[in-house]
Each structure stands twice: as C-alpha cells, then as structure tokens.
Amino acid sequence: MLEIHDLRKAYGDFIAVQNLTLRASGGEVFGLLGPNGAGKTTTIHCIGGLLTPTSGHIRVNGHDVVSEGRKARASLGVAPQEIALYEELSAKENLEYWGAAQGLSSAELRQRIPEVLEHVGLLDRAKDPVKNFSGGMKRRMNFACGIVHHPKVLLLDEPTAGVDPQSRVRLLDLVRAQARAGACVLYTTHYMEEAESLCDRLAIVDHGKLIAQGTLTELRAMLGERDLVRLTGVFPSPPAPDGIEVLQHSEDSLTLSVAQAAMRLPEIFAAIARAGGEVRGATVTQPSLESLFIKLTGKELRE
Amino acid sequence: MRFLLASARKDLLHIVRDPAGLAVWIGVPLVLLALITSVFGREKITPKGKLLIADQDDSLVSRLFTSAFSQGELAKMIDTEKVDGAEGRRRMDRGDASALLIVPKGLGDAFLARKPFQLQLLKNPSQAILPEMVEEVLSVLTEGAFYLQQATGDELTLFQARPTDAAIAEASLRFRKLGDAVRSLMDPMLIDVRTKLPPQQPVKRTPLGAMMLPGMLMLAMLFTAQGMCAEIWREKMNGTLRRIAMAPEAVSQWLLGKVLAAVIMLVLLNSITLLGGAFALNASYARPIGTLCWSVFSGAMIYLAIAALQFYSSSDRASATFTNLLILPLALAGGSMAPLESLPASIARIGRMTPNGAAVDQMRHLIEGDADPWRLLTVAAALLALGAVGFALSMLALRRGFAAEH
Ligand SMILES: Nc1ncnc2c1ncn2[C@@H]1O[C@H](COP(=O)(O)OP(=O)(O)O)[C@@H](O)[C@H]1O
Ligand SMILES: [Mg+2]
C-alpha cells in the first residue's frame, strides 16, 4: 500500500535521505527509527507530496505521489511532527477544517466528528479551544485530525513527542487500533521502546541512510545473543580479549559487544587495567534495538 | 470551493476569537479617525462659528441691527466680534471666521429716510453650514427691518438720542419677532444683502477632515492587510500550512480563503470607517455603495500584493520588516498621511502611480461624485493585474515548496 523505491532527497549539496527502499502494507505498523536529523520527516514530506524527491519513486495506494499527487494524497492521513492545529479553534472546528481539507462533505463530518472525538477520548472537550488542552490532549487531537477521513495510509511523525507516559500508552493503543482496522501505518520515532512494542517491521535510518530493515526478530538476530557493555572511566587504548567486539571507543567511554557479558566482566576489567585504563562505571544491556543501533552506527540513538 | 469557504471561516474565527486582536483591527481606523477629527475639527457637531461685523455706520439703527446676532439661541452658535473693514477682510482671507458682515456708512440715515440700502456679507467657502445660517438670519432681519421701517419709521427717529442697552436689546428682539411674523408679505425689500464669495477661490464643499478620509481608510487597510498577511508565516511556522500541502484539496483554496476572509473583514472595517467619517468628519458620499465596493476591491488587491511579499521573504521577521519598510513610504506618497493635493507636486505625481495612491485618488472622486469612468476602469484594471500577479507569485512559491522550507 506504501512503496518507496530508492528515494533520495537532497537540499542543495546536503543529502537528507538516500537510497531508501521500503514497502509497507495494510494492517501493519511500519517503524522508521532513527535519531534527530536522520531524515525521517523529510521522508514523510516526500510521501505527502510536500517535497519533490530528488530521485526515486513513491507510490501510495498505487498512485505515484509526483505524477498523481492528488489521488495519492486522497489515500493519505498525516499527523505531523509539530502540533499542526488552529489553537483558537475548538476541537470540533479543527476536525471540521481538516475534514474539509480532505474533501469530506458537511454531512460526512457531522457523522464522523463525534466518532473520532470519542475514539481519542476528547468528546467532552469538543467545544473547547485547542489552546486550553494539555500536551497529551493536543497530541491526540493532532492524531485525530489525521484519521478523520479513514485514510488507507497513515503517516505519523513522532506522534508521542513531548507527552507524559500515560498519554503515550494511550496514543500507542490508538495507533494499533488503526492498523487493526486495516490502515498501513508508517510510524517514525527515535524511541526504541516504542518501536519495539508497536512495530511489525522496522527500518533503522541514520544520516539519511538505511542501515537495517526487517521484522523485530530479524533485527534482533543481527545482534546475535550478545549483550552490550557500556563502560565509563579512562581508556588509553581499547582492550580486545577473544570474542569481544569494540563498538565504540574514546578517552572516557568504551562500548563492547560481548556474549554472556555478566560472566566475562572480571576478565574485561583485568584487560583494561593491564592496558593502563581504569573503569569507573559499567552497564550491561540485553540485546535490543538500542544495542543494534549502537552496533551499526557506533553511537547512541539519543544523544 | 468547500475548502475555500472552510479556510475563510477558519481565518475569521481566528480573528474573532482573539478579542485583543479584533480590537486592534477595529481600533486602527477609529483611532485614525479620532486623530483626524481632533486635528481638522468636526464642524457639524459643534458648529460654533465666528461672525465678524464691520459696522462702518455705527448708528443706532446699525447697532440695533447687528446686536440681533448676539442674542438668544443665535448667541450659542455664533460669536460676534466687531472689527474694522480692513482687518475683517484680512481675517476672512486667512479663513479665521465663518462670515464677515459689512455695514457701510449711511445705513441709519437711509433707513430713516426709507431709502434702499445694501449690506455686504462675505462667507467662508470652506465652511458649509454657519455662513448659511448667518445669511438666513440676515434675511429675516432685513425683512423685519423693512416692516418696521414701513410701520414705525417716524417713531424710530425719536431714538436718535442715546438709548439704554436694555432698550436696544428689546427693540432688536422685536425686530426679529416682527420679521418672523410678516416675512411672507415682504416684497420688495429696501435693505438688500449682497453675498460675496472671494472670487479667486474655487468652491470646495468637502470639509478638510473628510478630504483626509480616503487616505486614512487606505492606511487602515494597509495595516489590516499587513496584519492578515502575517498569518501566512504563522501557518508556515506552526505546521498547519505543511499539513494543508499534504492534503488532497488544493492549497490555492487555502490562499483564496484568506483573500475571502480579508474581503469580509474589509467590508466590515470599511463600513465602520466610512460611517464614522460621515458622523465625525461630516463627510458626505456621492456614491456610498460605490465607495465601499471600491475600497474593498482595492484593499483586496493590495492584500494579494502584500501576501506575495510574504512568500518571498526569508523569515517571518524579515517579512514583517520588509512589509513595514514598503508600506510606510507608500502610505506617505499615496496620500495617506496628508491629502495628495497638499503634497509637493513631484511626490503627488509618484503617489498617484502607487497602487494605494491611485486607489485613494479614485476613492476621492467616487466620494465627491466626479469620478471619470475611464480613469476608474483603468485604475481598476491595473489593481486587478497587481492582485493577479500577486496571487500567481504566491502560488508559484507554494508550488516550489514554500511550506516545507526551513
Ligand atoms: N528545507 C531544508 N533545507 C535544508 N536542510 C534541511 C531541510 N529540511 C531538513 N533539512 C536537514 O535534513 C536533515 C534531516 O532532517 P529531518 O528529515 O527533519 O530529520 P528527522 O525528522 O529524522 O529528525 C537534517 O539535517 C535537517 O537539518
Ligand atoms: Mg523529524
């Protein structure tokens, strides 16, 4: 339902997205995971027809977003990264406006608006101006305006940015409900846990490049059964005992990929001491998307 | 079309929901109106005029005659002041008074001898009402005097000794009452009032404050257009414009919705301003609907031009600064700070070529009812072209990704 083939978007000399290919179908949540500046929003804007790709093709529900822009956009629902709402207008008025932008008739809107408000839990606040809403409520409203017209393809750009944990759980449930109802959801985030709990399939991007893609299980397998060991202290040179992979090394931090790390910590500490280093802190993490990201890029996802 | 209407509704709701903002919208023309009123006067509401009297006769009869202006109801509306003839003319030339009444030597004698006589009244051409009033009172007085002359002229000669002030006052009151009672019977009259207008000055019936009105209205429209155009960058910054660009309905409808909202605001604000002008500045409109339509049309076209500027500015700050820098000189040259007539000829010539100045000029003609249809059509076509170019440039910027740019 959503096909991206070899997408590339450059702003002058700067390449924001390159060689991105992915395919997502109805009923699934496809995650686009990457740190700030990875090119997630740029990708969403290319799908939405807001930006013209430098090269490559995007099809939404079978329609090319450049040559059949209007048809492609008709199947699309978007919840932008920012709260793109009219704050002085009430929840109902916002839905009326964004519904009209999707070409819905007044009759359709009359029937649909209470449904959507009920769905996102804002029915009792229908007449309140959005500016009086809490951050979490605004996020739900931002989401509601993206689904008012039952889109086949839903683009959610960091829909949980800046909300409290409770609202986040609620929003994630709303996203799952969309996929269950048959929508194809493209979900961008820089939160690993969200991607892990929500997404059927994932693409991990960094600096505009696709670095891994697959189901959660496939991605985990790329790590092997290895734990992530993160050390702080003084490290003049990286130690390399057998079977230990150095993912990242600097004067004061060291990240290692180790099978059965807990059993091998004494051996690692000893090796560091021999090399003239000193360990001040250590954390061991089970295999996760986070460790995969660090393994693939040598840096933390959230910096 | 539905999305266009929804967009206009959204913009209007946005304005109405912000009471402070709305107050500013309505306040700008009202403040400008009050400013002009305080500077140029509101002749109609407090019509206290000044009547200069040059009594060269200085007889009992002439004193009786002229004292009628400083009594009763008339005294509330007219201040009289005795002057000599030369000074009176000088002050009339400066426009200091509503009228100058000259009573030449020999009135008393002529009156008592029942001979015809002439008074002279000089009226201030820039004032509409007070000089008329003085003239009206004078005609009543002369009629009364004629009657008195016929009926009691002999007895009047007895008064040639010094009468008391009270006696004069009483007699002049009788003059008026008598005059009122018999004015319909009077014909012919022996005392004739000759009204004189200074010959070198053309008759201008528009009060000065009302002359400022079109320019002031344009200034208010420029402010309104600028304020409403600021929404373009606001929508770009808060992401609503991006969201619209990703929706199937055309972004052109979003822009046209803004134009429609501007038109509705202009209809409202301009009606208030024009009505306010009629009350506060004593402006009268030869073509009230035509004036309103013209003001709204020209305002909408200028809105489109200012909107295009926003799309080609590099930031919201830059767009605001740029617009201000452009609007102020345009307003100055285009007759919004002072009427085009009062500007140096070279600036006025440039001013008439600015879109706002040309629109103001035609608005003046519509108000005074002497618009040249061809000239009006030419200016309308030029403004329409300006609006169309503005719209086309705005759409071009939107197509080129204005919404998405950083
Ligand atoms: N209009 C633009 N012009 C130039 N650079 C841009 C523009 N939009 C985004 N970028 C750059 O492209 C990169 C990707 O941005 P973005 O897609 O917003 O990333 P993400 O959403 O993953 O955080 C960033 O480095 C950003 O600064
Ligand atoms: Mg982003």
Side-chain angles (χ1 to χ4, degrees), chain B residues 173-202:
Chain B
L173 208 67
R174 264 207 328 265
F175 273 47
R176 282 205 303 161
K177 289 198 175 134
L178 278 167
D180 274 353
V182 297
R183 61 182 303 187
S184 58
L185 303 171
M186 296 299 110
D187 180 59
M189 284 188 288
L190 288 181
I191 299 178
D192 174 30
V193 179
R194 264 180 49 209
T195 307
K196 276 172 88 178
L197 283 169
Q200 75 277 18
Q201 273 182 23

PDB file of all heavy atoms in Angstrom, chain B residues 173-202:
ATOM      1  N   LEU B 173     -35.002  92.504  19.602  1.00  0.00           N
ATOM      2  CA  LEU B 173     -35.803  91.293  19.733  1.00  0.00           C
ATOM      3  C   LEU B 173     -37.130  91.485  18.998  1.00  0.00           C
ATOM      4  O   LEU B 173     -37.604  90.579  18.311  1.00  0.00           O
ATOM      5  CB  LEU B 173     -36.058  91.011  21.218  1.00  0.00           C
ATOM      6  CG  LEU B 173     -36.257  89.548  21.591  1.00  0.00           C
ATOM      7  CD1 LEU B 173     -34.963  88.780  21.374  1.00  0.00           C
ATOM      8  CD2 LEU B 173     -36.697  89.428  23.046  1.00  0.00           C
ATOM      9  N   ARG B 174     -37.678  92.654  19.128  1.00  0.00           N
ATOM     10  CA  ARG B 174     -38.925  92.950  18.424  1.00  0.00           C
ATOM     11  C   ARG B 174     -38.724  92.868  16.920  1.00  0.00           C
ATOM     12  O   ARG B 174     -39.549  92.361  16.188  1.00  0.00           O
ATOM     13  CB  ARG B 174     -39.438  94.332  18.829  1.00  0.00           C
ATOM     14  CG  ARG B 174     -40.464  94.247  19.932  1.00  0.00           C
ATOM     15  CD  ARG B 174     -41.454  95.408  19.955  1.00  0.00           C
ATOM     16  NE  ARG B 174     -41.010  96.693  19.516  1.00  0.00           N
ATOM     17  CZ  ARG B 174     -40.554  97.676  20.309  1.00  0.00           C
ATOM     18  NH1 ARG B 174     -40.430  97.442  21.591  1.00  0.00           N
ATOM     19  NH2 ARG B 174     -40.246  98.851  19.820  1.00  0.00           N
ATOM     20  N   PHE B 175     -37.579  93.367  16.500  1.00  0.00           N
ATOM     21  CA  PHE B 175     -37.251  93.289  15.079  1.00  0.00           C
ATOM     22  C   PHE B 175     -37.412  91.861  14.575  1.00  0.00           C
ATOM     23  O   PHE B 175     -38.047  91.595  13.573  1.00  0.00           O
ATOM     24  CB  PHE B 175     -35.781  93.675  14.841  1.00  0.00           C
ATOM     25  CG  PHE B 175     -35.540  95.131  14.658  1.00  0.00           C
ATOM     26  CD1 PHE B 175     -36.092  96.074  15.496  1.00  0.00           C
ATOM     27  CD2 PHE B 175     -34.698  95.547  13.624  1.00  0.00           C
ATOM     28  CE1 PHE B 175     -35.837  97.412  15.329  1.00  0.00           C
ATOM     29  CE2 PHE B 175     -34.444  96.896  13.460  1.00  0.00           C
ATOM     30  CZ  PHE B 175     -35.000  97.842  14.303  1.00  0.00           C
ATOM     31  N   ARG B 176     -36.791  90.963  15.331  1.00  0.00           N
ATOM     32  CA  ARG B 176     -36.789  89.569  14.878  1.00  0.00           C
ATOM     33  C   ARG B 176     -38.182  88.984  14.852  1.00  0.00           C
ATOM     34  O   ARG B 176     -38.582  88.292  13.923  1.00  0.00           O
ATOM     35  CB  ARG B 176     -35.891  88.717  15.771  1.00  0.00           C
ATOM     36  CG  ARG B 176     -34.419  88.891  15.443  1.00  0.00           C
ATOM     37  CD  ARG B 176     -33.631  87.682  15.863  1.00  0.00           C
ATOM     38  NE  ARG B 176     -33.801  87.418  17.284  1.00  0.00           N
ATOM     39  CZ  ARG B 176     -33.533  86.246  17.838  1.00  0.00           C
ATOM     40  NH1 ARG B 176     -33.106  85.252  17.105  1.00  0.00           N
ATOM     41  NH2 ARG B 176     -33.705  86.065  19.113  1.00  0.00           N
ATOM     42  N   LYS B 177     -38.915  89.223  15.941  1.00  0.00           N
ATOM     43  CA  LYS B 177     -40.246  88.644  16.030  1.00  0.00           C
ATOM     44  C   LYS B 177     -41.156  89.190  14.925  1.00  0.00           C
ATOM     45  O   LYS B 177     -41.871  88.438  14.267  1.00  0.00           O
ATOM     46  CB  LYS B 177     -40.848  88.941  17.404  1.00  0.00           C
ATOM     47  CG  LYS B 177     -40.149  88.130  18.482  1.00  0.00           C
ATOM     48  CD  LYS B 177     -40.963  88.044  19.741  1.00  0.00           C
ATOM     49  CE  LYS B 177     -40.275  87.126  20.741  1.00  0.00           C
ATOM     50  NZ  LYS B 177     -40.235  87.724  22.093  1.00  0.00           N
ATOM     51  N   LEU B 178     -41.039  90.465  14.724  1.00  0.00           N
ATOM     52  CA  LEU B 178     -41.840  91.077  13.667  1.00  0.00           C
ATOM     53  C   LEU B 178     -41.481  90.478  12.317  1.00  0.00           C
ATOM     54  O   LEU B 178     -42.351  90.140  11.515  1.00  0.00           O
ATOM     55  CB  LEU B 178     -41.591  92.587  13.639  1.00  0.00           C
ATOM     56  CG  LEU B 178     -42.392  93.392  14.668  1.00  0.00           C
ATOM     57  CD1 LEU B 178     -41.829  94.803  14.776  1.00  0.00           C
ATOM     58  CD2 LEU B 178     -43.866  93.425  14.260  1.00  0.00           C
ATOM     59  N   GLY B 179     -40.196  90.376  12.144  1.00  0.00           N
ATOM     60  CA  GLY B 179     -39.718  89.836  10.868  1.00  0.00           C
ATOM     61  C   GLY B 179     -40.289  88.453  10.608  1.00  0.00           C
ATOM     62  O   GLY B 179     -40.781  88.157   9.523  1.00  0.00           O
ATOM     63  N   ASP B 180     -40.218  87.612  11.648  1.00  0.00           N
ATOM     64  CA  ASP B 180     -40.749  86.253  11.509  1.00  0.00           C
ATOM     65  C   ASP B 180     -42.210  86.288  11.093  1.00  0.00           C
ATOM     66  O   ASP B 180     -42.653  85.521  10.243  1.00  0.00           O
ATOM     67  CB  ASP B 180     -40.623  85.507  12.846  1.00  0.00           C
ATOM     68  CG  ASP B 180     -39.255  84.882  12.965  1.00  0.00           C
ATOM     69  OD1 ASP B 180     -38.514  84.937  11.955  1.00  0.00           O
ATOM     70  OD2 ASP B 180     -38.928  84.364  14.040  1.00  0.00           O
ATOM     71  N   ALA B 181     -42.964  87.164  11.724  1.00  0.00           N
ATOM     72  CA  ALA B 181     -44.408  87.164  11.519  1.00  0.00           C
ATOM     73  C   ALA B 181     -44.799  87.583  10.109  1.00  0.00           C
ATOM     74  O   ALA B 181     -45.737  87.057   9.537  1.00  0.00           O
ATOM     75  CB  ALA B 181     -45.073  88.091  12.540  1.00  0.00           C
ATOM     76  N   VAL B 182     -44.041  88.478   9.545  1.00  0.00           N
ATOM     77  CA  VAL B 182     -44.541  89.046   8.297  1.00  0.00           C
ATOM     78  C   VAL B 182     -43.648  88.762   7.094  1.00  0.00           C
ATOM     79  O   VAL B 182     -43.874  89.313   6.020  1.00  0.00           O
ATOM     80  CB  VAL B 182     -44.725  90.581   8.433  1.00  0.00           C
ATOM     81  CG1 VAL B 182     -45.766  90.883   9.480  1.00  0.00           C
ATOM     82  CG2 VAL B 182     -43.408  91.248   8.758  1.00  0.00           C
ATOM     83  N   ARG B 183     -42.675  87.894   7.292  1.00  0.00           N
ATOM     84  CA  ARG B 183     -41.674  87.740   6.249  1.00  0.00           C
ATOM     85  C   ARG B 183     -42.299  87.339   4.912  1.00  0.00           C
ATOM     86  O   ARG B 183     -41.807  87.677   3.848  1.00  0.00           O
ATOM     87  CB  ARG B 183     -40.599  86.750   6.644  1.00  0.00           C
ATOM     88  CG  ARG B 183     -41.095  85.347   6.898  1.00  0.00           C
ATOM     89  CD  ARG B 183     -39.969  84.461   7.317  1.00  0.00           C
ATOM     90  NE  ARG B 183     -38.905  84.449   6.311  1.00  0.00           N
ATOM     91  CZ  ARG B 183     -37.867  83.638   6.383  1.00  0.00           C
ATOM     92  NH1 ARG B 183     -37.722  82.842   7.401  1.00  0.00           N
ATOM     93  NH2 ARG B 183     -36.978  83.658   5.443  1.00  0.00           N
ATOM     94  N   SER B 184     -43.418  86.601   4.969  1.00  0.00           N
ATOM     95  CA  SER B 184     -44.015  86.154   3.719  1.00  0.00           C
ATOM     96  C   SER B 184     -44.628  87.320   2.929  1.00  0.00           C
ATOM     97  O   SER B 184     -44.853  87.206   1.734  1.00  0.00           O
ATOM     98  CB  SER B 184     -45.073  85.086   3.992  1.00  0.00           C
ATOM     99  OG  SER B 184     -46.038  85.642   4.846  1.00  0.00           O
ATOM    100  N   LEU B 185     -44.890  88.387   3.589  1.00  0.00           N
ATOM    101  CA  LEU B 185     -45.533  89.512   2.907  1.00  0.00           C
ATOM    102  C   LEU B 185     -44.538  90.492   2.290  1.00  0.00           C
ATOM    103  O   LEU B 185     -44.915  91.444   1.623  1.00  0.00           O
ATOM    104  CB  LEU B 185     -46.411  90.290   3.899  1.00  0.00           C
ATOM    105  CG  LEU B 185     -47.499  89.467   4.597  1.00  0.00           C
ATOM    106  CD1 LEU B 185     -48.154  90.284   5.704  1.00  0.00           C
ATOM    107  CD2 LEU B 185     -48.538  89.016   3.586  1.00  0.00           C
ATOM    108  N   MET B 186     -43.267  90.277   2.577  1.00  0.00           N
ATOM    109  CA  MET B 186     -42.268  91.273   2.237  1.00  0.00           C
ATOM    110  C   MET B 186     -41.897  91.262   0.765  1.00  0.00           C
ATOM    111  O   MET B 186     -41.351  90.297   0.259  1.00  0.00           O
ATOM    112  CB  MET B 186     -40.986  91.025   3.044  1.00  0.00           C
ATOM    113  CG  MET B 186     -41.188  91.197   4.521  1.00  0.00           C
ATOM    114  SD  MET B 186     -41.694  92.859   4.935  1.00  0.00           S
ATOM    115  CE  MET B 186     -43.368  92.565   5.420  1.00  0.00           C
ATOM    116  N   ASP B 187     -42.133  92.334   0.120  1.00  0.00           N
ATOM    117  CA  ASP B 187     -41.722  92.450  -1.260  1.00  0.00           C
ATOM    118  C   ASP B 187     -42.096  93.821  -1.748  1.00  0.00           C
ATOM    119  O   ASP B 187     -43.253  94.218  -1.622  1.00  0.00           O
ATOM    120  CB  ASP B 187     -42.430  91.378  -2.098  1.00  0.00           C
ATOM    121  CG  ASP B 187     -42.020  91.476  -3.546  1.00  0.00           C
ATOM    122  OD1 ASP B 187     -40.798  91.357  -3.798  1.00  0.00           O
ATOM    123  OD2 ASP B 187     -42.904  91.692  -4.408  1.00  0.00           O
ATOM    124  N   PRO B 188     -41.283  94.624  -2.263  1.00  0.00           N
ATOM    125  CA  PRO B 188     -39.851  94.410  -2.352  1.00  0.00           C
ATOM    126  C   PRO B 188     -39.145  94.843  -1.062  1.00  0.00           C
ATOM    127  O   PRO B 188     -39.781  95.382  -0.188  1.00  0.00           O
ATOM    128  CB  PRO B 188     -39.476  95.341  -3.494  1.00  0.00           C
ATOM    129  CG  PRO B 188     -40.431  96.493  -3.332  1.00  0.00           C
ATOM    130  CD  PRO B 188     -41.688  95.942  -2.755  1.00  0.00           C
ATOM    131  N   MET B 189     -37.871  94.597  -0.985  1.00  0.00           N
ATOM    132  CA  MET B 189     -37.153  94.987   0.214  1.00  0.00           C
ATOM    133  C   MET B 189     -36.240  96.160  -0.084  1.00  0.00           C
ATOM    134  O   MET B 189     -35.628  96.230  -1.135  1.00  0.00           O
ATOM    135  CB  MET B 189     -36.336  93.812   0.725  1.00  0.00           C
ATOM    136  CG  MET B 189     -37.229  92.791   1.414  1.00  0.00           C
ATOM    137  SD  MET B 189     -36.267  91.538   2.198  1.00  0.00           S
ATOM    138  CE  MET B 189     -35.701  90.660   0.804  1.00  0.00           C
ATOM    139  N   LEU B 190     -36.169  97.001   0.874  1.00  0.00           N
ATOM    140  CA  LEU B 190     -35.332  98.172   0.671  1.00  0.00           C
ATOM    141  C   LEU B 190     -33.886  97.897   1.080  1.00  0.00           C
ATOM    142  O   LEU B 190     -32.963  98.439   0.499  1.00  0.00           O
ATOM    143  CB  LEU B 190     -35.872  99.356   1.472  1.00  0.00           C
ATOM    144  CG  LEU B 190     -37.170  99.944   0.903  1.00  0.00           C
ATOM    145  CD1 LEU B 190     -37.613 101.129   1.739  1.00  0.00           C
ATOM    146  CD2 LEU B 190     -36.972 100.364  -0.546  1.00  0.00           C
ATOM    147  N   ILE B 191     -33.756  97.063   2.125  1.00  0.00           N
ATOM    148  CA  ILE B 191     -32.385  96.711   2.502  1.00  0.00           C
ATOM    149  C   ILE B 191     -32.038  95.383   1.841  1.00  0.00           C
ATOM    150  O   ILE B 191     -32.742  94.399   2.001  1.00  0.00           O
ATOM    151  CB  ILE B 191     -32.216  96.586   4.022  1.00  0.00           C
ATOM    152  CG1 ILE B 191     -32.552  97.930   4.670  1.00  0.00           C
ATOM    153  CG2 ILE B 191     -30.785  96.182   4.356  1.00  0.00           C
ATOM    154  CD1 ILE B 191     -32.471  97.901   6.165  1.00  0.00           C
ATOM    155  N   ASP B 192     -30.973  95.383   1.122  1.00  0.00           N
ATOM    156  CA  ASP B 192     -30.641  94.214   0.313  1.00  0.00           C
ATOM    157  C   ASP B 192     -29.304  93.670   0.796  1.00  0.00           C
ATOM    158  O   ASP B 192     -28.371  94.426   1.037  1.00  0.00           O
ATOM    159  CB  ASP B 192     -30.552  94.690  -1.148  1.00  0.00           C
ATOM    160  CG  ASP B 192     -30.066  93.600  -2.056  1.00  0.00           C
ATOM    161  OD1 ASP B 192     -30.336  92.430  -1.743  1.00  0.00           O
ATOM    162  OD2 ASP B 192     -29.411  93.934  -3.066  1.00  0.00           O
ATOM    163  N   VAL B 193     -29.213  92.383   0.971  1.00  0.00           N
ATOM    164  CA  VAL B 193     -27.935  91.795   1.389  1.00  0.00           C
ATOM    165  C   VAL B 193     -27.220  91.272   0.169  1.00  0.00           C
ATOM    166  O   VAL B 193     -27.772  90.461  -0.575  1.00  0.00           O
ATOM    167  CB  VAL B 193     -28.141  90.636   2.376  1.00  0.00           C
ATOM    168  CG1 VAL B 193     -26.802  90.046   2.766  1.00  0.00           C
ATOM    169  CG2 VAL B 193     -28.905  91.108   3.591  1.00  0.00           C
ATOM    170  N   ARG B 194     -26.045  91.728  -0.065  1.00  0.00           N
ATOM    171  CA  ARG B 194     -25.271  91.183  -1.176  1.00  0.00           C
ATOM    172  C   ARG B 194     -24.233  90.218  -0.646  1.00  0.00           C
ATOM    173  O   ARG B 194     -23.359  90.574   0.126  1.00  0.00           O
ATOM    174  CB  ARG B 194     -24.600  92.312  -1.953  1.00  0.00           C
ATOM    175  CG  ARG B 194     -25.419  92.734  -3.190  1.00  0.00           C
ATOM    176  CD  ARG B 194     -24.738  93.843  -3.915  1.00  0.00           C
ATOM    177  NE  ARG B 194     -23.333  93.556  -4.149  1.00  0.00           N
ATOM    178  CZ  ARG B 194     -22.417  94.518  -4.245  1.00  0.00           C
ATOM    179  NH1 ARG B 194     -22.741  95.772  -4.083  1.00  0.00           N
ATOM    180  NH2 ARG B 194     -21.164  94.192  -4.502  1.00  0.00           N
ATOM    181  N   THR B 195     -24.368  89.003  -1.042  1.00  0.00           N
ATOM    182  CA  THR B 195     -23.428  87.999  -0.564  1.00  0.00           C
ATOM    183  C   THR B 195     -22.247  87.929  -1.510  1.00  0.00           C
ATOM    184  O   THR B 195     -22.421  87.885  -2.725  1.00  0.00           O
ATOM    185  CB  THR B 195     -24.113  86.636  -0.509  1.00  0.00           C
ATOM    186  OG1 THR B 195     -25.287  86.762   0.238  1.00  0.00           O
ATOM    187  CG2 THR B 195     -23.203  85.601   0.101  1.00  0.00           C
ATOM    188  N   LYS B 196     -21.075  87.931  -0.937  1.00  0.00           N
ATOM    189  CA  LYS B 196     -19.887  87.873  -1.789  1.00  0.00           C
ATOM    190  C   LYS B 196     -19.004  86.694  -1.396  1.00  0.00           C
ATOM    191  O   LYS B 196     -18.744  86.456  -0.223  1.00  0.00           O
ATOM    192  CB  LYS B 196     -19.074  89.162  -1.642  1.00  0.00           C
ATOM    193  CG  LYS B 196     -19.587  90.270  -2.532  1.00  0.00           C
ATOM    194  CD  LYS B 196     -18.891  91.566  -2.223  1.00  0.00           C
ATOM    195  CE  LYS B 196     -17.610  91.762  -2.992  1.00  0.00           C
ATOM    196  NZ  LYS B 196     -17.022  93.086  -2.663  1.00  0.00           N
ATOM    197  N   LEU B 197     -18.567  85.968  -2.408  1.00  0.00           N
ATOM    198  CA  LEU B 197     -17.561  84.930  -2.170  1.00  0.00           C
ATOM    199  C   LEU B 197     -16.273  85.457  -2.754  1.00  0.00           C
ATOM    200  O   LEU B 197     -16.300  86.094  -3.803  1.00  0.00           O
ATOM    201  CB  LEU B 197     -17.933  83.645  -2.896  1.00  0.00           C
ATOM    202  CG  LEU B 197     -19.016  82.836  -2.226  1.00  0.00           C
ATOM    203  CD1 LEU B 197     -19.507  81.745  -3.151  1.00  0.00           C
ATOM    204  CD2 LEU B 197     -18.514  82.244  -0.929  1.00  0.00           C
ATOM    205  N   PRO B 198     -15.170  85.216  -2.095  1.00  0.00           N
ATOM    206  CA  PRO B 198     -13.911  85.656  -2.679  1.00  0.00           C
ATOM    207  C   PRO B 198     -13.785  85.038  -4.061  1.00  0.00           C
ATOM    208  O   PRO B 198     -13.920  83.821  -4.204  1.00  0.00           O
ATOM    209  CB  PRO B 198     -12.849  85.097  -1.734  1.00  0.00           C
ATOM    210  CG  PRO B 198     -13.580  84.779  -0.481  1.00  0.00           C
ATOM    211  CD  PRO B 198     -15.005  84.532  -0.829  1.00  0.00           C
ATOM    212  N   PRO B 199     -13.568  85.795  -5.093  1.00  0.00           N
ATOM    213  CA  PRO B 199     -13.637  85.285  -6.456  1.00  0.00           C
ATOM    214  C   PRO B 199     -12.489  84.337  -6.803  1.00  0.00           C
ATOM    215  O   PRO B 199     -12.683  83.424  -7.594  1.00  0.00           O
ATOM    216  CB  PRO B 199     -13.571  86.558  -7.306  1.00  0.00           C
ATOM    217  CG  PRO B 199     -12.921  87.575  -6.429  1.00  0.00           C
ATOM    218  CD  PRO B 199     -13.298  87.240  -5.032  1.00  0.00           C
ATOM    219  N   GLN B 200     -11.321  84.536  -6.203  1.00  0.00           N
ATOM    220  CA  GLN B 200     -10.174  83.736  -6.654  1.00  0.00           C
ATOM    221  C   GLN B 200     -10.245  82.290  -6.156  1.00  0.00           C
ATOM    222  O   GLN B 200      -9.595  81.416  -6.695  1.00  0.00           O
ATOM    223  CB  GLN B 200      -8.836  84.387  -6.246  1.00  0.00           C
ATOM    224  CG  GLN B 200      -8.470  84.268  -4.781  1.00  0.00           C
ATOM    225  CD  GLN B 200      -9.173  85.364  -3.957  1.00  0.00           C
ATOM    226  OE1 GLN B 200     -10.155  85.973  -4.397  1.00  0.00           O
ATOM    227  NE2 GLN B 200      -8.665  85.611  -2.767  1.00  0.00           N
ATOM    228  N   GLN B 201     -11.010  82.040  -5.106  1.00  0.00           N
ATOM    229  CA  GLN B 201     -11.042  80.676  -4.551  1.00  0.00           C
ATOM    230  C   GLN B 201     -12.193  79.861  -5.132  1.00  0.00           C
ATOM    231  O   GLN B 201     -13.335  80.304  -5.117  1.00  0.00           O
ATOM    232  CB  GLN B 201     -11.221  80.749  -3.032  1.00  0.00           C
ATOM    233  CG  GLN B 201      -9.903  80.879  -2.299  1.00  0.00           C
ATOM    234  CD  GLN B 201     -10.105  80.889  -0.799  1.00  0.00           C
ATOM    235  OE1 GLN B 201     -11.109  80.402  -0.309  1.00  0.00           O
ATOM    236  NE2 GLN B 201      -9.143  81.437  -0.095  1.00  0.00           N
ATOM    237  N   PRO B 202     -11.890  78.680  -5.671  1.00  0.00           N
ATOM    238  CA  PRO B 202     -12.977  77.837  -6.155  1.00  0.00           C
ATOM    239  C   PRO B 202     -13.771  77.296  -4.964  1.00  0.00           C
ATOM    240  O   PRO B 202     -13.249  77.181  -3.867  1.00  0.00           O
ATOM    241  CB  PRO B 202     -12.256  76.699  -6.886  1.00  0.00           C
ATOM    242  CG  PRO B 202     -10.910  76.632  -6.247  1.00  0.00           C
ATOM    243  CD  PRO B 202     -10.576  78.019  -5.771  1.00  0.00           C
TER     244      PRO B 202
END
